[in-house]
Amino acid sequence: METIEIGLLGLGVVGSGAVRTLEENREAIERKVGARVRIKRIAVRDTKKPRMVDVDPALLTDDVGAVLDDPGIRIVCELIGGVHPAREYVLRAIENGKSVVSANKELIAKDGHEPMHRASEQGVDFMFEGSVGGGIPIIQAMKSALAGNRITEVKGIVNGTTNYILSRMTEEGAELADVLRDAQASGYAEADPTNDVEGYDAQYKIAILSSIAFTSRVDTTKVYTEGITRVTAHDIEHAREMGYVIKLLAIGKSAGEDAIQVRVHPALVREGQPLASTLGPFNAILLRGHAVGDVLFYGQGAGMMPTGSAVVGDIMDVCRNILHGSTGRIACTCFQNKRLLPIETVVTRYYIRMYVSDRPGSIAAIAGVFGRHNVSIASVRANAPGSVDAHDTAEAIWVTHNVLEADIRSALAELQTIPEVRSVENWLRVEE
Ligand code: HSE
């Protein structure tokens, strides 16, 4: 049996999961591939640091060149994350004729074009299943089993940290800051949670998914991104009373032949829907293809073993391609450059919570402003004055029919200026 040697860059959570998966299921993996799969070197910053897996210390090196420039290594797994120096390492590996497996969502979302094209020129593979949805095999599915479809929509919950936080806020009626503090203490959230909480992690992932789904480049700077910091326990409670839960959604939609909408924001989702039932750190991605219809992917979107599973799946695919002389078989599929529509062009329903003056005619005056801005109201609930401190103030919850986001924005801008509105407390999109 032939031996295929691989090199790792990084031995953190994902690298350790890949090593452990390879070790734990070695015999079956090698029989499925038809070759011995051996880790030859692992480049790490600090060779002395304690590791999550047992590896032969002789494999560890702090010289990336020992991986990138070793002619015996056919596959380089880039598992260090971030754009630099990962990008330079990936390009160097490809220039040296090696296939690359990466789980680096930021690099692929922001700058995946170049490594993919270099890989095509070199006739090697560049695979990145671990970059989105942890162990959920969504990328290979879109590139292979579902490749015949014209995909019109890909949306879901792709960030486990925020889903865990929102799930706990919903269960406990707690505020974000309290749940976040606790989640950090128990290791569910990073010490610096910005990337997750502000929606950037989900932005990278939906940019990758949309680029594959819609065969187009997606410029991450044009992806509308709103995190969960504006979601309060109070909004979650109002949503619940109306039969909704609040989720951080990542949404990509086709908008005609040459345009797409790609966005990340919290949204009200109807209870009982698959995305509403995705709890804790789990991810779920719903995809709509013209031939297949709706397909739902659900599973662990992060973590050592699920992401390690995705990386090992890619390694095995590359091994098979090497053995059959067919690396570079699946090239970059972004052969279009579709327009990313601005958020103002979205048409959806909205939930709006405001404090209003509790006097005759207030609701009518506010409804008049909505009407003048083409905002059609589906329901309004004005709570008893006792629900707020000031005796002449009531809380009003509005839910609209489908309206243009530009119209909601202009309506809200005017509403902030009329005396009947004390304050617009929050507004969120409703994803039906
Ligand atoms: N930070 C990510 C999440 C996991 O919370 O889902 C890594 O992609």
Side-chain angles (χ1 to χ4, degrees):
M1 209 159 40
E2 188 172 329
T3 298
I4 297 176
E5 291 180 315
I6 66 180
L8 264 56
L9 302 177
L11 188 59
V13 174
V14 179
S16 302
V19 170
R20 185 171 290 174
T21 307
L22 277 172
E23 291 305 328
E24 285 178 352
N25 201 20
R26 170 169 301 289
E27 196 197 333
I29 287 170
E30 297 191 339
R31 288 183 73 172
K32 286 181 194 175
V33 164
R36 275 184 292 269
V37 182
R38 292 287 182 269
I39 296 173
K40 189 173 189 194
R41 295 312 292 275
I42 305 174
V44 292
R45 235 192 322 233
D46 177 0
T47 55
K48 301 278 178 283
K49 197 172 133 180
R51 300 285 159 189
M52 284 174 259
V53 279
D54 286 333
V55 289
D56 177 355
L59 296 183
L60 297 177
T61 170
D62 55 12
D63 170 20
V64 288
V67 170
L68 297 174
D69 304 325
D70 180 337
I73 290 177
R74 316 271 299 270
I75 306 172
V76 170
C77 300
E78 181 276 301
L79 307 169
I80 51 181
V83 176
H84 301 288
R87 177 180 179 278
E88 290 69 30
Y89 294 164
V90 163
L91 291 175
R92 185 160 138 202
I94 292 170
E95 291 316 315
N96 286 341
K98 302 176 195 315
S99 289
V100 171
V101 171
S102 171
N104 187 336
K105 60 198 163 233
E106 186 176 358
L107 171 65
I108 294 151
K110 289 183 175 169
D111 212 0
H113 179 73
E114 193 172 5
M116 272 180 254
H117 278 271
R118 293 273 184 217
S120 283
E121 283 165 12
Q122 289 288 332
V124 295
D125 283 328
F126 180 61
M127 294 197 178
F128 45 93
E129 186 64 67
S131 63
V132 180
I136 301 173
I138 176 86
I139 291 175
Q140 284 290 357
M142 282 199 289
K143 289 196 168 201
S144 297
L146 299 172
N149 282 268
R150 199 164 51 242
I151 296 173
T152 51
E153 189 168 335
V154 55
K155 75 174 172 193
I157 294 165
V158 292
N159 182 266
T161 304
T162 47
N163 201 50
Y164 172 82
I165 292 171
L166 291 174
S167 299
R168 280 198 49 191
M169 287 173 71
T170 306
E171 280 159 24
E172 299 165 21
E175 290 297 351
L176 186 137
D178 298 327
V179 175
L180 178 59
R181 211 173 306 114
D182 199 53
Q184 285 171 309
S186 51
Y188 276 101
E190 307 261 354
D192 177 0
T194 314
N195 253 359
D196 294 316
V197 168
E198 300 292 352
Y200 300 119
D201 177 83
Q203 177 200 86
Y204 302 147
K205 292 169 177 168
I206 195 64
I208 295 170
L209 293 179
S210 298
S211 71
I212 300 168
F214 309 124
T215 58
S216 174
R217 304 245 71 78
V218 173
D219 176 352
T220 52
T221 63
K222 295 197 178 126
V223 175
Y224 177 80
T225 304
E226 194 185 305
I228 61 167
T229 51
R230 282 198 301 126
V231 179
T232 67
H234 203 48
D235 294 306
I236 291 176
E237 180 56 20
H238 280 301
R240 196 189 58 75
E241 284 170 14
M242 294 186 292
Y244 292 95
V245 290
I246 299 181
K247 294 288 185 188
L248 182 69
L249 295 189
I251 301 173
K253 286 187 185 177
S254 148
E257 284 297 297
D258 63 353
I260 49 177
Q261 265 180 21
V262 188
R263 51 193 158 104
V264 173
H265 54 71
L268 278 70
V269 180
R270 179 77 64 192
E271 268 172 13
Q273 295 291 315
L275 297 184
S277 315
T278 301
L279 300 176
F282 277 80
N283 282 193
I285 301 160
L286 189 70
L287 188 144
R288 181 166 295 166
H290 85 283
V292 72
D294 286 355
V295 186
L296 178 67
F297 295 82
Y298 173 85
Q300 296 184 63
M304 173 169 157
M305 296 308 283
T307 314
S309 154
V311 169
V312 170
D314 278 352
I315 292 172
M316 291 171 70
D317 251 10
V318 179
C319 286
R320 289 168 169 142
N321 287 343
I322 289 172
L323 291 173
H324 291 89
S326 57
T327 54
R329 197 167 51 88
I330 303 183
C332 180
T333 50
C334 297
F335 44 79
Q336 286 170 291
N337 214 342
K338 295 183 177 173
R339 269 181 314 127
L340 248 83
L341 297 180
I343 190 71
E344 288 76 10
T345 63
V346 164
V347 174
T348 190
R349 302 181 67 198
Y350 294 85
Y351 152 99
I352 301 145
R353 179 166 65 86
M354 56 177 70
Y355 288 133
V356 303
S357 91
D358 194 16
R359 302 222 179 93
S362 280
I363 293 291
I366 296 166
V369 174
F370 277 131
R372 281 200 297 285
H373 289 267
N374 301 316
V375 173
S376 175
I377 300 301
S379 71
V380 56
R381 295 147 36 108
N383 288 352
S387 65
V388 285
D389 290 343
H391 73 281
D392 62 347
T393 301
E395 186 177 43
I397 312 293
W398 306 77
V399 178
T400 73
H401 287 300
N402 268 337
V403 290
L404 185 66
E405 175 128 350
D407 288 337
I408 270 289
R409 287 176 180 250
S410 64
L412 291 177
E414 184 177 341
L415 284 168
Q416 321 251 19
T417 69
I418 67 168
E420 288 81 1
V421 174
R422 303 243 193 270
S423 59
V424 174
E425 288 293 301
N426 210 351
W427 59 285
L428 295 163
R429 298 168 192 86
V430 181
E431 183 73 18
E432 293 290 357

